Amino acid sequence: MFTLEGKFALVTGAAGGIGAACAAFYARHKISGLALTDVRQENLEKTAAEIESKTGLKSFCFAADLRREEADKSLVAEVCKKFGRLDILLNCAGVSRRGSLYDVTEEQWDFTFDINVKGLFFICREAYRVMEKQGGGCIINLASQAARSGGIVVTPDYPSSKAAVLTLTKSLAKAGAAKQIRVNTVAPGLIATEMTTGFGYDPKTVPLGRIGSGEDVAGACLFLASDYAAYITGACIDVNGGIAMV
Ligand SMILES: NC(=O)c1ccc[n+]([C@@H]2O[C@H](COP(=O)([O-])OP(=O)(O)OC[C@H]3O[C@@H](n4cnc5c(N)ncnc54)[C@H](O)[C@@H]3O)[C@@H](O)[C@H]2O)c1
């Protein structure tokens, strides 16, 4: 049985979808402390209330727009004030849009990269500072199958940003290894969340015969956060029902 007992985590993008599913999964697996963050405060509190009603664990909610370094800095500082440490940073916050290459404005390109890549780097760096001082930790970043395939219905800024996440994760893993900071990626295929509503993807085209759920992704995020993954860093776990096998 996987357990996260004794560990303290910060989950971004926890207002819904994969982030909320992972946070709930961590709570079910006995995490000692859970901090949740998202730009959508109301939904964030719903996630926390649901987790508390199902597991009894009271999470701490921090509404924040993670695109800017200052926000990332103060968030990690706040979390450390509460917990005194940070063992797991799970980065699920992200944006994508449907459309063609002609739909991408400069503003949209920057918006996508600001949250999916730039904000991700700065929050990882803040967590890294804390983990370095405490002698180790674990960071998990959500990439996407689209990083390798180029995406299906989304505009090109999204798969490009997720390809950057794959590489950034490897850079951070190299930098963190000597400090016992493990950094890995999880790359989902098509998962039923708000982000993919209306994608109209046919489950029959998925070798495992169905669209994925947040819990499918949460399983991989639990494993990577657990001590069973103690020798895994710089890796990517594909959670895509067999859509692509690399
Ligand atoms: N759903 C899928 O099929 C799929 C596939 C591959 C990768 N992913 C990735 O998994 C992660 C979670 O996706 P999801 O499907 O749960 O999407 P989602 O839209 O349900 O959740 C993403 C969350 O990120 C939050 N967010 C967006 N911008 C933010 C900002 N600036 N600051 C703070 N929070 C912000 C949103 O409010 C939202 O709650 C994303 O990184 C996504 O790219 C999802």
Side-chain angles (χ1 to χ4, degrees):
M1 163 81 171
F2 285 97
T3 176
L4 297 179
E5 213 167 348
K7 296 187 195 294
F8 293 82
L10 167 61
V11 180
T12 81
I18 293 170
C22 289
F25 214 60
Y26 280 4
R28 268 174 49 198
H29 289 82
K30 304 209 173 334
I31 193 131
S32 294
L34 200 49
L36 309 177
T37 188
D38 202 288
V39 74
R40 298 183 298 158
Q41 181 162 12
E42 206 180 300
N43 297 42
L44 192 60
E45 276 154 18
K46 270 189 206 151
T47 304
E50 246 181 79
I51 291 175
E52 192 175 357
S53 77
K54 286 187 181 147
T55 67
L57 182 77
K58 199 169 166 34
S59 326
F60 296 97
C61 293
F62 301 92
D65 183 336
L66 302 176
R67 286 176 292 164
R68 308 218 63 89
E69 184 183 7
E70 271 318 304
D72 299 317
K73 266 191 176 162
S74 48
L75 172 64
V76 172
E78 286 286 316
V79 172
C80 287
K81 221 193 278 171
K82 284 266 179 251
F83 295 152
R85 59 185 294 113
L86 180 61
D87 301 290
I88 302 159
L89 169 65
L90 171 60
N91 283 311
C92 298
V95 292
S96 76
R97 255 175 253 186
R98 266 177 290 168
S100 82
L101 70 166
Y102 294 114
D103 296 318
V104 184
T105 59
E106 269 193 68
E107 193 190 18
Q108 183 189 323
W109 184 277
D110 290 343
F111 183 77
T112 303
F113 270 73
D114 278 357
I115 179 64
N116 291 7
V117 186
K118 189 182 78 178
L120 181 90
F121 168 70
F122 285 113
I123 196 166
C124 285
R125 193 168 72 177
E126 288 315 304
Y128 187 101
R129 284 189 216 282
V130 176
M131 291 172 180
E132 187 173 9
K133 278 196 199 120
Q134 73 190 17
C138 157
I139 298 174
I140 301 160
N141 294 326
L142 268 289
S144 171
Q145 168 53 32
R148 301 203 184 95
S149 68
I152 320 164
V153 290
V154 289
T155 52
D157 45 320
Y158 177 74
S160 311
S161 72
K162 292 299 182 177
V165 171
L166 285 177
T167 305
L168 174 59
T169 300
K170 288 182 194 166
S171 302
L172 294 170
K174 280 201 173 138
K179 321 273 183 196
Q180 298 306 309
I181 302 169
R182 299 186 295 105
V183 195
N184 293 294
T185 326
V186 171
L190 195 72
I191 308 298
T193 67
E194 225 174 297
M195 187 179 272
T196 53
T197 306
F199 268 32
Y201 207 74
D202 182 358
K204 287 194 221 82
T205 62
V206 181
L208 283 179
R210 63 178 176 87
I211 305 298
S213 69
E215 284 220 340
D216 288 318
V217 182
C221 294
L222 172 64
F223 167 63
L224 285 173
S226 77
D227 292 340
Y228 291 105
Y231 201 54
I232 301 178
T233 196
C236 176
I237 298 186
D238 292 323
V239 182
N240 61 28
I243 286 175
M245 303 182 190
V246 287

